[in-house]
Structures are given as structure tokens and as C-alpha cells.
């Protein structure tokens, strides 16, 4: 749990450097849709944020090199 909180704080810091975190929704441990590298469960976290265009690129780079992150997705939500 401590390692998970450290990771979340690290990624939150990347976002807050040039933006703001609106909401962090921790879904907890869930079964993965399919096995990834012999891992069947993961800890899901949904983070909504507003930031400049460079933040998702930097966040993606950091998520890719982190050994503790199995998968990640970054979406651009456009408001109407």
C-alpha cells in the first residue's frame, strides 16, 4: 500500500507541475480482463485532471518506464 501511494503521489506531482488534479478515484483490486505477463489482478486508479498539452506526454513516458504499472490509458475528454 505504501509503494502504491508513493507511485500515485509521483504521478500526481507530474500532473500538478503544469495542471490540476480534479479527482482521484481508487477502484481497488480487480481481476484483469485477460492475463498480462502471468498477472491476473491489478489495482485500478482513475485520475481526472486538467493540464497543458505537454503533461499527458510526460505522464505517458513515466508510466511506460515504471515497472509497477502494467497498463495505462490517457484520454482527452472534450467538454461541449
Amino acid at each position: 500500500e505504501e509503494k502504491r501511494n508513493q507511485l500515485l503521489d509521483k504521478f500526481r506531482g507530474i500532473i500538478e507541475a503544469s495542471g490540476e488534479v480534479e479527482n482521484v478515484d481508487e477502484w481497488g483490486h480487480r481481476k484483469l480482463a485477460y492475463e498480462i505477463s502471468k498477472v491476473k489482478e491489478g489495482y485500478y486508479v482513475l485520475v481526472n485532471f486538467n493540464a497543458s498539452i505537454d503533461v499527458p506526454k510526460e505522464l505517458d513516458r513515466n508510466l511506460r518506464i515504471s515497472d509497477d504499472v502494467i497498463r495505462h490509458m490517457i484520454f482527452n475528454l472534450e467538454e461541449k
Side-chain angles (χ1 to χ4, degrees):
E1 186 174 331
E2 185 178 323
K3 190 172 188 178
R4 182 174 56 238
N5 288 335
Q6 288 176 347
L7 271 174
L8 192 54
D9 288 341
K10 174 185 173 184
F11 298 130
R12 185 183 293 211
I14 293 169
I15 295 168
E16 290 176 343
S18 297
E20 84 179 84
V21 175
E22 290 181 355
N23 184 30
V24 177
D25 190 10
E26 296 188 39
W27 295 0
H29 286 281
R30 298 201 177 202
K31 185 177 177 185
L32 299 176
Y34 53 91
E35 193 173 297
I36 301 171
S37 301
K38 299 189 180 186
V39 176
K40 296 180 181 182
E41 277 194 358
Y43 192 85
Y44 286 71
V45 178
L46 175 65
V47 179
N48 295 330
F49 63 92
N50 285 321
S52 67
I53 197 162
D54 296 331
V55 173
K57 293 175 186 175
E58 180 64 18
L59 187 60
D60 183 53
R61 187 184 71 79
N62 279 276
L63 287 164
R64 284 179 190 268
I65 62 176
S66 177
D67 292 334
D68 297 317
V69 177
I70 299 172
R71 288 276 195 271
H72 70 278
M73 295 173 130
I74 299 175
F75 294 96
N76 182 15
L77 297 177
E78 296 180 10
E79 295 184 28
K80 293 181 180 183

